[in-house]
Amino acid sequence: MDPRIREHAQTIAEHSTGIESGDNVVVAAPAAAEELVVALHEECAERGANPVYTSSSSRASRAFLRNREGDFETPEHLLAMYEEMDVYIAVRGDANASETADVDPETNAAYRRAMQPVLQERLSKTWCLTQFPTPGNAQLAGMSTDGYQNFVWDAVSLDWDEQYEHQQRMVEILNDAEEVRIAAGEETDVTMSVAGNTAINDKGEKNLPGGEVFTAPVRDSVEGEVHFDMPLYRQGREIEDVRVRFEDGRVESHSAGRNEEVLDGVFDTDEGARYLGELGIGMNRAIDTFTYNMLFDEKMGDTVHMAVGSAYPDTVGEENEVNQSAEHVDMILDMSEDSVIEVDGDVVQRNGTFVFEDDFE
């Protein structure tokens, strides 16, 4: 076994989830990630935890979604398992990143609505989402298998204490903020209130790798237009050139240069899918390659991402409403040129450089 796999497992068990004796741990991973699953079971054994392995398969999911007739039901047996667990570890790793490309977007939306209680239960526990470097994801990223392995394991093994200190300065700015403005190029100018909400410093715990600072907008406060100029891969399809217009917090119009019907399905999932649940600022400059994998892409330095759909409750203050949805879909815009982030009228980032960095101008 590559020693970096055991290092990956140790980081998950120790840094990301803090697995302890007696913890009931669920590991969900594809067959291609079996070596990481084995290493995680070793970690659980050493810590006196109780692991259960559930295999995730995009081929099986596709088969179910394309052949199911009638309404979807919440899988109560899966919900029961999540109610009993203490730690959830989700490992991504595709043999074919486009496996579900021929599943109807409306079917996906209906399934996600049925799965919402399961998702909420899962998110209420200690959890970590990570990536195993598979050939399918390497191909999607335009990398060799070896090159992608190096990319993933370098990103996972970052000095997270040092990264935390770098990001904490942005957390402090946002936690004192009333309003944030994002402007980039000629097509993006959007404002939102973050008053009373909390910024989170992502140092590789719930997401591994980490490397962002994120919060939630006040639900009805988002106003303006955004051109998400970086693509996203959703339901096995690439969505490009997304444009969204917000009024009173709600998505009132949208378009995409490619696969717009997938975006239609997202926004039609439920009413909460038409509101922003997250504003995130990418601050991990060790991730310098776009790979069509949101777990990495949203952390890149010189980027901002916004997610329509569910908000993380930890980011929402007691006086504000937590946006709820069966969806949580991140979309990214490049902030490296002709762009600013303003907080209460003051520029805190210009062209990707933060006000607390030496080369800020």
Side-chain angles (χ1 to χ4, degrees):
M1 181 184 294
D2 190 315
R4 295 176 296 180
I5 298 176
R6 284 199 168 92
E7 182 182 355
H8 191 173
Q10 183 178 17
T11 301
I12 294 169
E14 186 172 312
H15 171 76
S16 300
T17 61
I19 294 173
E20 298 179 346
S21 178
D23 280 348
N24 293 325
V25 181
V26 173
V27 180
E34 184 180 24
E35 285 191 304
L36 181 56
V37 173
V38 170
L40 284 167
H41 277 63
E42 291 174 348
E43 292 291 334
C44 286
E46 291 177 4
R47 288 167 166 75
N50 310 306
V52 170
Y53 169 41
T54 63
S55 180
S56 58
S57 166
S58 54
R59 286 189 69 193
S61 296
R62 173 186 178 276
F64 175 67
L65 294 174
R66 281 178 57 85
N67 289 281
R68 172 75 180 217
E69 296 182 0
D71 296 333
F72 291 101
E73 298 179 0
T74 300
E76 297 292 338
H77 56 305
L78 182 61
L79 179 60
M81 181 175 71
Y82 288 176
E83 289 172 346
E84 294 298 320
M85 76 180 179
D86 300 296
V87 177
Y88 180 78
I89 300 168
V91 182
R92 291 179 176 172
D94 296 306
N96 176 3
S98 300
E99 189 66 59
T100 59
D102 56 358
V103 176
D104 183 75
E106 292 183 5
T107 300
N108 271 302
Y111 179 65
R112 291 184 69 85
R113 286 193 292 270
M115 288 292 291
Q116 187 174 12
V118 176
L119 174 64
Q120 293 304 315
E121 182 63 30
R122 196 176 78 196
L123 293 177
S124 73
K125 304 299 176 70
T126 299
W127 59 273
C128 175
L129 170 65
T130 193
Q131 177 76 38
F132 188 81
T134 62
N137 290 111
Q139 186 175 34
L140 186 64
M143 297 182 184
S144 67
T145 301
D146 287 347
Y148 190 66
Q149 289 175 347
N150 293 335
F151 170 80
V152 169
W153 284 322
D154 286 349
V156 166
S157 61
L158 205 64
D159 183 332
W160 293 114
D161 290 336
E162 181 179 333
Q163 186 68 27
Y164 176 87
E165 293 299 326
H166 172 61
Q167 295 172 180
Q168 188 61 23
R169 287 171 287 188
M170 193 64 211
V171 169
E172 292 167 359
I173 290 172
L174 287 176
N175 279 340
D176 290 335
E178 296 285 329
E179 184 179 81
V180 176
R181 174 178 177 246
I182 308 291
E186 298 180 356
E187 296 185 81
T188 294
D189 197 336
V190 63
T191 59
M192 62 195 73
S193 171
V194 294
N197 287 349
T198 300
I200 303 294
N201 189 334
D202 169 26
K203 58 172 185 174
E205 294 174 323
K206 289 180 169 59
N207 282 350
L208 184 66
E212 65 172 298
V213 170
F214 64 96
T215 188
V218 174
R219 189 176 189 267
D220 298 328
S221 71
V222 187
E223 297 282 347
E225 298 182 352
V226 185
H227 174 206
F228 296 102
D229 53 359
M230 302 181 77
L232 67 147
Y233 215 73
R234 180 76 177 171
Q235 298 169 10
R237 281 173 276 188
E238 182 181 2
I239 308 172
E240 293 180 332
D241 281 328
V242 174
R243 291 171 170 82
V244 178
R245 180 172 58 84
F246 295 94
E247 292 183 9
D248 297 325
R250 190 177 188 273
V251 175
E252 291 298 338
S253 65
H254 68 274
S255 65
R258 185 180 181 191
N259 287 318
E260 185 174 323
E261 68 277 8
V262 179
L263 201 61
D264 296 340
V266 168
F267 290 132
D268 290 342
T269 299
D270 50 40
E271 183 62 12
R274 288 187 171 268
Y275 290 82
L276 281 187
E278 179 189 358
L279 167 66
I281 300 170
M283 299 186 67
N284 187 343
R285 293 201 174 97
I287 301 174
D288 58 2
T289 303
F290 189 82
T291 61
Y292 292 91
N293 184 335
M294 194 60 69
L295 182 60
F296 293 83
D297 298 339
E298 69 175 2
K299 314 301 191 322
M300 291 177 67
D302 303 348
T303 66
V304 162
H305 59 277
M306 303 176 199
V308 292
S310 60
Y312 297 109
D314 289 350
T315 65
V316 181
E318 292 182 1
E319 301 300 318
N320 292 330
E321 179 181 358
V322 179
N323 192 48
Q324 297 184 349
S325 173
E327 292 284 7
H328 183 94
V329 179
D330 295 283
M331 297 175 284
I332 307 174
L333 60 149
D334 183 359
M335 298 291 289
S336 63
E337 296 180 358
D338 192 21
S339 67
V340 293
I341 301 175
E342 294 180 1
V343 174
D344 296 333
D346 295 326
V347 176
V348 299
Q349 187 199 74
R350 180 180 288 111
N351 300 334
T353 303
F354 293 98
V355 66
F356 45 79
E357 294 182 305
D358 292 339
D359 51 350
F360 179 81
E361 296 179 358

